[in-house]
Structure formats: structure tokens, C-alpha cells
Amino acid sequence: MELTLWTYEGPPHVGAMRVATSMEDVHLVLHAPQGDTYADLLFTMIERRASRPNVSYTTFQARDLGGDTAGLTKTAVREACERFRPQVLLVGESCTAELIQDQPGALAQGMDLPVPVVPLELPAYSKKENWGASETFYRLVRALLAPLAPPPGQERPEPVESRRPRANLLGPSALGFRCRDDVEEVRRLLDSVGIDVGVVAPEGASPEDLLRIPEADFNVCLYPEVARTACSWLARTFGMPTVEACPIGVGATRDFLREVGRCAGVDVDAALAPERSRLPWYSRSVDSTYLTGKRVFIFGDGTHALAASRVAREELGFTVVGLGTYSRERAREVRAEAEACGVEALITDDYLDVEARIAELRPELVLGTQMERHVAKRLGIPCAVISAPVHVQDFPARYSPQMGFEGANVLFDTWIHPLMMGLEEHLLGMFREDFEFHDGAAPSHLGGDAPGAPEQDGGEQDRAVAWDPEASAELRKVPFFVRGKARRNTEQFAQAQGLGTITVETLYDAKAHFGR
């Protein structure tokens, strides 16, 4: 653990709070000091939930450390049971409370409470938020379903022929990226091939719902960061197959339907028609030729980064120049995808490393988290958010899925509009004397390269060759949507010629050289 201004993931107890807040009739008691009681801020302010999170705290203070903090834990647990009357009680500790070693889960188990207690071990100094969410969901599923497990070696009963095949959707949770709309879109996909949805969990589920998980024919691991561990246990214990294809993008959605068809034994060919999404036609249209080869940098959680890379290179014709994730559990998969793209994977949870890579690569589009949005804005690069962590604006009131055929339409709109609006900005500027052609005009709303704005590529001091003022002024006359390429070509030309400073003559010599 290290101090930082921004972080992609919180400590594991934040993941536990996400699972508890997602569910009904489940309550989490967190052994935590006064400063760690921020669940209300996370869920009611950022996600705009209408109800308070299902979390209580011991809220010990400095003066309590010389006394009986274990007694505070027992009091908080007992009061939570009496006040909220949950069907299941989760008990864990925050990163600060872990140092006290009160073992609140064990304390609660010894209190003879009228509800099941699931103790959580959340090692804050070696694990992170997504691991905490995954572990909490797994522990909860296992605690409820282990008594119902069939004897080892017993065959799973055949599905009842009088009903349609049934699937569980596992993984959507509070603070997840577009989970609400993804679930709705996947429901529609499954219904289109004659498959019902049994349980959606943890989002919106109760302990009684979790008890119905084995009644389904298979599980869909919708978000592996949260559900993969639970799905693996269900496969081993109940023999439930798992669909792991992530339906983000047209190609991945068709792969998802094929895998669902194999699990359920149904014919899905009629649902595979590519015209169910507008993205393939848009990508082939004449307007999209402007987008071919656009250089894109991708960073996010493993699920969304991998999906975005496939969509970018296979469905939109972009060139992936950078790919990375903060999800170390998915590092091997991201490295394999990066190798397929011909780039080096960036596996880090330090946003400064990501910012440095973006400045070095100078992409024309960034797809990332809210951190990359801030970085891209500072560097004057278009950006679309594709992954948590996100801020309030990425929990839209409108229907805006990422998954399924409609999700592919949303991806096209979200990723393409920043680039197309850049082209429109230039055309409007030709008639308005904007800053691209007239330094005294008002700055563009796009920000980058405006008077006083930071350089798009991170600053002159980072380059091997310098630009004299006249050459810089001349470069500003180049339309901004090709200015980055003009800058790179000129610097490459100057370095090849052994020049230390780029003049106006160098700029035009480079133009002539690359224009041959």
C-alpha cells in the first residue's frame, strides 16, 4: 500500500461494501475508525442510489484504542441485527482496523446471533477493491449454498423439459460500470434465443435468491472481476457450466450467443445477424474512412480493456498503440492481447505511469477510466470513459449499455463522436477565425493547443529536438486533427537529418519529404 492522490481501486473493504450495498436483506458491519465511514458518499453521491448503503460501523476513535475495541465490535454487531434485521450478516474490518487484530468476524460468530454470520478476511495491505468484492460474493454464496451441495460424484439432474433453459447473471454490483443497463441488454439477448434469467446477483439479489442459483442450468460470468471465483466454485460443487464470453462489441456478442447456445443446447443462428447492430454498417460507411487507422490508447479493468481492444482493432479499424490494466488478476490475458496488437502491455495501478505512457505515445483517442479522462483533458486528447473507476456523470439516467448489440451502438457513438466533432471543429473554425488560424481568437472548446493550453504531447522539454518560435507558430496553422502527425513526421525528419532545432524551413522540407 502507498499514498497517492488518485487510485484505481480502494482497499478490499470497499469491495465488500459494494456487494452488501448491491443486495437486499444483507447487512455489513465494518470494524472501522471514524475516518473510514464513507460508504454514503460513494453510493448516494457518485452512483446516485436512492437508499443508504447496507453498512454499519464500529466507529472507534483514538481514545478507544486504550480500551476494549472488541467490545465496541460486539455492540455494533448486536445493534445492527436488532435494527436492520438482515437475513445474513457480513462482518469485516477496514484497513485501519486490521492493525488492531480484533478479528471481528470470529467475535460475531461466537455471539449466538439469530442470523447466519459470514466473516470476511480482507487483507488490505496485499489485496484491492475488486478482490474484496469477489471474495465477499464468493464467501456469501458458499456460506448459503454449501449445505445444499450434492455428494461428490453425483450427476447433475437433467433440465426439466417443460420449461425453457435458465441462466444466472453473476457479477453486476454497485459502483460497477453500466451494470444496470448491461443486465437489461443481456436479458433481451437471452430471451431472443429462448432462455430465461433465473438469478441476477449480487445486484438486486437477496439471500433467498442466492439459494435459487443451483436451479438454473448454467451461469453467465458477466463481470469476472466480481463473479469468477464464485462461478468456479459453483462449477466444481454443483456442476454448473459457466459462460465466460463477455458480450461487448458485435463480434464478442455473437461469440457470447454461440457459447450460450452450446451450454443451453439451443439454436442461436437466427440471433447472430450482424444487422442487429448499426455499428458494422457505420464502420463500413464512407464517413468512417476518416477514422481508419486512428491511434488509440486503452486502459481500464481487465474485462473492459480487453473488450475495447477487440472492438477498436476489429470493428472500427483503429490502431491500438497502447493497452493496459490495473487489474493484476487479468494481467496475463491483457499481455496476450497486447502482444496480438504489437504493443507492450502496461500493468500498473499508478496513474502517473499511465499518464507518462499516454504523453509518450501521443494517441489520437484515449479510452480509459475517469483518471485517463483527466489526463487526456490536460493533454488536449479526445477521451471516452469505458471502465470503472468513474464519476457521477458516468451513471447516466438514460439507457446506455456497453454489452450486446445495442451496447455496440453506444460504443460507436461514445468513441467516434469526440473524433468526428474534432473534424467539425476545424470546418467551423475556417469561418470563425478560431485559434487554429488566428492566435488572437477565443480558445476552442476542445482545449488542446489553445493559447495558454498545455502541449498535446506533454511539452517541449521531453522532445529530442527543439522548435524555434517561428516554426511553432507555423505548426499551429496546421489543422489540429492532423497536427500531431505533422509534428511527429517533422521531428522524425529532423532527427534523421541530425538537426537539433526545427525551423520553418525544416517544417516545409519535412512536408515535402513525406508528401512524395
Side-chain angles (χ1 to χ4, degrees):
M1 177 177 285
E2 60 184 80
L3 294 177
T4 183
L5 179 64
W6 287 340
T7 181
Y8 290 101
E9 295 184 83
H13 73 265
V14 174
M17 289 195 295
R18 286 173 52 191
V19 171
T21 301
S22 300
M23 299 187 65
E24 300 173 0
D25 297 323
V26 170
H27 197 83
L28 169 63
V29 176
L30 203 63
H31 191 27
Q34 196 165 18
D36 284 352
T37 55
Y38 43 71
D40 283 8
L41 175 68
L42 283 174
F43 299 103
T44 62
M45 239 181 116
I46 295 179
E47 195 172 12
R48 299 190 284 200
R49 285 192 171 243
S51 58
R52 294 188 64 239
N54 308 331
V55 184
S56 298
Y57 306 91
T58 58
T59 321
F60 62 83
Q61 302 180 45
R63 63 173 177 266
D64 298 318
L65 296 178
D68 184 14
T69 52
L72 288 175
T73 301
K74 291 182 178 180
T75 300
V77 167
R78 189 174 295 108
E79 290 177 349
C81 277
E82 294 172 356
R83 178 181 176 185
F84 299 104
R85 301 186 181 278
Q87 294 179 12
V88 175
L89 191 69
L90 303 173
V91 182
E93 56 195 345
S94 74
C95 47
T96 310
E98 182 183 346
L99 300 172
I100 304 175
Q101 298 183 343
D102 279 334
Q103 297 183 322
L107 289 173
Q109 282 185 308
M111 292 175 62
D112 194 25
L113 296 171
V115 297
V117 175
V118 179
L120 303 176
E121 294 184 11
L122 305 170
Y125 299 95
S126 59
K127 300 294 183 180
K128 299 267 184 156
E129 175 183 331
N130 281 339
W131 182 91
S134 175
E135 182 72 4
T136 300
F137 184 52
Y138 161 67
R139 291 291 174 188
L140 187 55
V141 167
R142 180 167 179 166
L144 292 173
L145 292 180
L148 305 179
Q154 178 175 315
E155 292 292 328
R156 182 172 174 77
E158 291 294 324
V160 179
E161 293 186 2
S162 60
R163 67 164 175 83
R164 301 204 309 177
R166 186 178 300 161
N168 299 316
L169 306 183
L170 304 184
S173 68
L175 287 182
F177 188 65
R178 306 288 170 85
C179 288
R180 175 200 67 190
D181 299 340
D182 283 348
V183 167
E184 183 61 29
E185 186 63 21
V186 173
R187 278 184 184 273
R188 295 179 183 179
L189 279 176
L190 294 176
D191 183 64
S192 71
V193 295
I195 297 175
D196 293 329
V197 172
V199 175
V200 178
E203 182 62 54
S206 68
E208 292 180 349
D209 292 326
L210 298 187
L211 291 172
R212 295 191 293 108
I213 285 179
E215 296 175 9
D217 303 307
F218 61 96
N219 296 313
V220 175
C221 186
L222 213 53
Y223 299 97
E225 282 79 7
V226 175
R228 179 171 280 177
T229 303
C231 285
S232 297
W233 183 79
L234 290 166
R236 293 192 308 271
T237 307
F238 289 90
M240 299 185 72
T242 302
V243 171
E244 296 202 0
C246 178
I248 297 181
V250 174
T253 298
R254 300 179 77 190
D255 291 346
F256 170 79
L257 287 172
R258 292 189 187 98
E259 190 172 344
V260 164
R262 288 193 294 271
C263 276
V266 299
D267 183 3
V268 300
D269 289 345
L272 299 178
E275 59 268 17
R276 295 187 64 186
S277 172
R278 298 181 183 91
L279 185 148
W281 182 86
Y282 285 152
S283 296
R284 293 192 300 267
S285 68
V286 66
D287 289 341
S288 287
T289 57
Y290 161 72
L291 305 167
T292 303
K294 287 295 183 182
R295 305 170 70 255
V296 61
F297 177 89
I298 301 169
F299 193 87
D301 66 33
T303 295
H304 289 91
L306 288 165
S309 177
R310 177 176 177 179
V311 173
R313 63 188 177 91
E314 294 184 6
E315 300 179 21
L316 295 177
F318 290 166
T319 299
V320 176
V321 297
L323 175 64
T325 182
Y326 58 83
S327 303
R328 295 188 182 276
E329 297 86 353
R330 308 295 300 277
R332 181 174 298 178
E333 298 160 84
V334 172
R335 286 194 176 99
E337 174 65 17
E339 185 176 355
C341 296
V343 300
E344 181 182 358
L346 178 62
I347 312 298
T348 183
D349 57 5
D350 188 337
Y351 70 94
L352 294 176
D353 292 342
V354 182
E355 180 174 5
R357 184 68 64 88
I358 293 173
E360 172 192 350
L361 294 172
R362 307 174 197 169
E364 292 158 290
L365 177 67
V366 172
L367 303 175
T369 72
Q370 69 167 336
M371 259 80 95
E372 283 66 55
R373 173 167 49 204
H374 290 306
V375 169
K377 184 176 180 181
R378 192 181 72 79
L379 298 177
I381 304 173
C383 178
V385 174
I386 63 163
S387 162
V390 295
H391 217 301
V392 63
Q393 64 263 48
D394 295 302
F395 290 98
R398 69 187 184 280
Y399 185 62
S400 186
Q402 302 288 285
M403 294 184 177
F405 293 117
E406 184 59 30
N409 294 336
V410 172
L411 293 182
F412 183 91
D413 288 343
T414 307
W415 300 5
I416 298 310
H417 286 174
L419 294 170
M420 298 300 289
M421 286 303 294
L423 177 60
E424 179 178 308
E425 176 77 6
H426 168 61
L427 296 175
L428 291 174
M430 291 176 65
F431 299 98
R432 294 185 181 176
E433 292 190 322
D434 82 1
F435 71 93
E436 305 294 342
F437 302 92
H438 176 52
D439 286 343
S444 162
H445 69 275
L446 292 179
D449 288 325
E455 290 287 338
Q456 179 171 341
D457 55 18
E460 298 281 351
Q461 69 273 16
D462 295 331
R463 291 196 290 271
V465 291
W467 288 71
D468 74 14
E470 290 185 7
S472 292
E474 192 70 15
L475 180 66
R476 297 175 72 83
K477 297 178 183 178
V478 176
F480 68 91
F481 54 86
V482 292
R483 187 180 300 154
K485 185 174 182 179
R487 186 194 299 275
R488 290 191 298 273
N489 285 348
T490 304
E491 291 176 352
Q492 180 183 339
F493 175 80
Q495 289 174 351
Q497 297 295 319
L499 302 176
T501 302
I502 294 174
T503 64
V504 173
E505 288 76 16
T506 311
L507 183 61
Y508 282 100
D509 288 345
K511 179 181 179 182
H513 173 78
F514 287 101
R516 289 182 298 185

